[in-house]
Amino acid sequence: MHDLRRQALESGKTVSRKARSKNGSPASSRPNSAPSSRAASRSRAVSGANSDEEENGNLSDETSFSTNSIDELLNGDAPDPFTDAWRADLADRIQELIDRKRSSVQGREKCLATYVRTLTAQYAEEDIRGKEGELVAAFLKSIKAEASERETILAMKALAMTVVTSPSDLIYEAVASPLKRVISDSASIPSKAAAVHCLGTCTFFGGASDDEILDNMAYLLEIVASDGAFIEAQDEPTPVVAALEEWGALSTLVDDLAAESEEAAEYFVDQLSSSHPAVQIAAGENIALLYEKSYRSLSEDDGPADSGDLDIVSDPDDIPGVPKLVKNYDAYRRTDVLKDTLSDLATLNTRRLSKKEQKSLRTNFADILDSVEYPTHGPRYQNAISQETGKRYGSRMTVRIHKEGVMRIDKWWKLHRLQALRRVLQSGFVTHYERNPLVFDSLPIMITNDRKTSRDA
């Protein structure tokens, strides 16, 4: 395992006023260690607003790193299966990508699009096994050259699909610097945002060390804190949303965020006043995650619950089976002020936004406020009582897996991982969830015919 220690904040970049006031970087917390291999360890979810390109239909699975809506995410099913001819076609495209002889920009775009489309719809680990190094090298040539915006983004999407399909401990080390150069230096805002997402995916699944995960979280936080100025994208919402989303995904790998929580929460709270709903929602989801991670379940080792030595939180409805939580640290020191802000967003009524945007903000921030007030409550928590069970419904966010199974998303960390996977896999999420062990191990809870099975309860 490589143990490179990179500085996340590179010299010569625009730094926000808040960042300049800080003396040094936050203390390191240790990210979670992996089940099985290092790459598999990184296997561990949707902002409700779209970019203009998505709404106009200009993005497809091949180029998009975004999810259109939470309803689409939760109800998406597997794509129609290909015939067996896809294997031979994929082999031809792989050889074409590696050779690059006399290839044109348009030809490479077409080839990359086919490669991404196939790996999205099929779990093709056996088909690319042993070729990962050559493929990554070919993708990096397109990323570094930036011959066209479409080719650059397609190459980054192909790289992300490759690492999710066939992870390697060596990928992150090879791609981190080229991706950060695109983030910092590209003249294309969509390319910058795609590079942020690709960097997050390769950090998560590509063998980044514990310190590199934390370094990249600090790097992403600087993009957020500077409103994009750190990467020469001042007030551009798309790269800021990307940085917020990838920070949230990577933070699910870190056991203890006590050292990072206060500073990160401060920057996320600042983004709640953004004029872009996608930025506000992504920041709010990270805030909910920070509060969730500041608590842990009460264990027998903690001693008597009524000893007075612990800050214990019980479910306000006293629902049987809901564990008591212990506060490990304060996620944010100005929680009362934060609750007022979240309440305003949860009841927002303005002509500045469309009805769809207002509904999205209200729904998301009602959830976020509820979780900040009651950390036992996850996304889409409902207090309504079921007539069948006599109990409250609780978190009702589920992902349908075909017609027979559902995945329950009752924690914010699960939502962040679901969103991260869906950004890469798009319509192929269900296919990969069923066949790709890396994807399943990232969200290892299934409920099929009302009978739950879990590898990680």
Side-chain angles (χ1 to χ4, degrees):
M1 175 54 55
H2 63 88
D3 59 355
L4 299 178
R5 302 294 184 262
R6 292 184 176 83
Q7 291 296 326
L9 306 182
E10 300 173 357
S11 60
K13 300 299 178 186
T14 304
V15 182
S16 70
R17 182 177 66 255
K18 285 185 178 177
R20 287 196 299 268
S21 69
K22 301 291 181 182
N23 293 321
S25 59
S28 292
S29 302
R30 303 304 297 175
N32 296 334
S33 47
S36 67
S37 72
R38 177 68 173 180
S41 75
R42 298 307 169 222
S43 359
R44 294 289 191 241
V46 176
S47 296
N50 305 337
S51 68
D52 292 339
E53 286 179 304
E54 287 173 310
E55 290 178 347
N56 293 335
N58 294 330
L59 292 183
S60 63
D61 276 4
E62 294 92 71
T63 55
S64 178
F65 273 99
S66 300
T67 51
N68 288 334
S69 71
I70 202 162
D71 291 332
E72 176 189 293
L73 171 62
L74 300 181
N75 296 317
D77 218 331
D80 292 335
F82 288 179
T83 65
D84 289 341
W86 69 267
R87 292 189 181 276
D89 186 56
L90 177 59
D92 290 343
R93 300 293 78 74
I94 289 173
Q95 195 59 46
E96 185 179 342
L97 287 168
I98 293 173
D99 287 346
R100 292 177 66 96
K101 294 179 180 178
R102 296 180 295 277
S103 63
S104 64
V105 172
Q106 292 76 16
R108 291 192 297 271
E109 290 176 355
K110 183 177 180 180
C111 188
L112 285 164
T114 301
Y115 177 88
V116 172
R117 187 164 58 249
T118 304
L119 261 65
T120 298
Q122 304 289 340
Y123 176 50
E125 189 273 336
E126 292 182 0
D127 302 87
I128 66 174
R129 187 188 303 161
K131 307 180 183 72
E132 297 93 340
E134 293 176 288
L135 284 167
V136 170
F139 302 148
L140 288 177
K141 289 180 181 178
S142 293
I143 292 169
K144 292 175 181 177
E146 286 198 83
S148 75
E149 181 181 278
R150 179 171 171 79
E151 181 187 351
T152 305
I153 295 176
L154 280 167
M156 290 187 282
K157 189 65 186 287
L159 174 57
M161 283 302 309
T162 299
V163 73
V164 170
T165 300
S166 184
S168 166
D169 287 352
L170 304 177
I171 288 181
Y172 174 79
E173 187 173 6
V175 306
S177 293
L179 288 173
K180 286 186 177 181
R181 279 197 292 271
V182 175
I183 295 170
S184 298
D185 301 335
S186 178
S188 164
I189 296 301
S191 293
K192 286 177 182 286
V196 169
H197 284 304
C198 189
L199 178 66
T201 302
C202 292
T203 303
F204 201 106
F205 296 111
S209 70
D210 291 350
D211 284 350
E212 286 165 333
I213 292 171
L214 290 167
D215 285 348
N216 281 336
M217 288 173 63
Y219 176 77
L220 295 169
L221 194 60
E222 189 62 22
I223 296 173
V224 174
S226 66
D227 292 327
F230 181 58
I231 57 170
E232 300 180 8
Q234 180 70 46
D235 296 327
E236 290 285 352
T238 312
V240 173
V241 171
L244 286 163
E245 292 174 339
E246 297 305 329
W247 189 97
L250 292 179
S251 72
T252 67
L253 295 173
V254 183
D255 282 324
D256 185 357
L257 284 173
E260 292 80 13
S261 188
E262 178 67 30
E263 181 184 33
E266 185 177 352
Y267 293 142
F268 299 152
V269 170
D270 283 348
Q271 293 299 335
L272 296 181
S273 61
S274 171
S275 59
H276 302 281
V279 173
Q280 294 172 291
I281 291 171
E285 289 175 346
N286 283 353
I287 290 170
L289 180 63
L290 285 174
Y291 274 82
E292 179 178 272
K293 290 182 74 67
S294 68
Y295 290 83
R296 62 177 173 82
S297 296
L298 181 69
S299 69
E300 294 180 357
D301 295 337
D302 291 318
D306 57 356
S307 65
D309 296 332
L310 301 173
D311 188 349
I312 298 175
V313 177
S314 301
D315 185 84
D317 303 313
D318 291 324
I319 299 176
V322 176
K324 292 181 170 60
L325 300 180
V326 179
K327 180 190 284 189
N328 285 333
Y329 54 86
D330 289 325
Y332 182 57
R333 57 187 171 80
R334 303 178 65 190
T335 297
D336 290 342
V337 176
L338 171 61
K339 288 180 181 179
D340 290 340
T341 302
L342 296 176
S343 179
D344 290 343
L345 289 167
T347 56
L348 185 69
N349 187 5
T350 176
R351 295 181 179 180
R352 181 178 62 84
L353 301 175
S354 67
K355 290 183 179 179
K356 181 179 180 181
E357 289 173 323
Q358 289 189 70
K359 180 180 178 181
S360 180
L361 280 171
R362 291 170 185 165
T363 300
N364 281 280
F365 280 101
D367 282 356
I368 294 162
L369 174 61
D370 188 42
S371 294
V372 169
E373 292 180 326
Y374 307 109
T376 57
H377 293 182
R380 297 295 189 271
Y381 189 93
Q382 289 192 6
N383 285 309
I385 297 177
S386 169
Q387 293 182 349
E388 295 180 0
T389 65
K391 300 178 180 179
R392 299 191 186 277
Y393 284 108
S395 292
R396 301 193 69 186
M397 180 180 288
T398 57
V399 179
R400 180 166 54 85
I401 307 295
H402 295 305
K403 296 180 180 179
E404 298 180 351
V406 292
M407 179 197 310
R408 186 169 299 280
I409 307 299
D410 55 359
K411 299 290 184 181
W412 287 99
W413 72 263
K414 295 180 185 179
L415 180 58
H416 278 272
R417 289 190 184 177
L418 174 63
Q419 290 179 148
L421 289 167
R422 181 62 171 82
R423 283 192 294 270
V424 178
L425 298 171
Q426 298 286 315
S427 62
F429 171 77
V430 171
T431 295
H432 280 263
Y433 189 80
E434 292 180 320
R435 303 175 187 175
N436 186 339
L438 188 76
V439 174
F440 183 89
D441 288 342
S442 299
L443 280 170
I445 293 179
M446 275 287 291
I447 302 175
T448 304
N449 295 331
D450 296 328
R451 299 179 68 182
K452 181 176 77 172
T453 62
S454 174
R455 297 184 192 173
D456 185 22

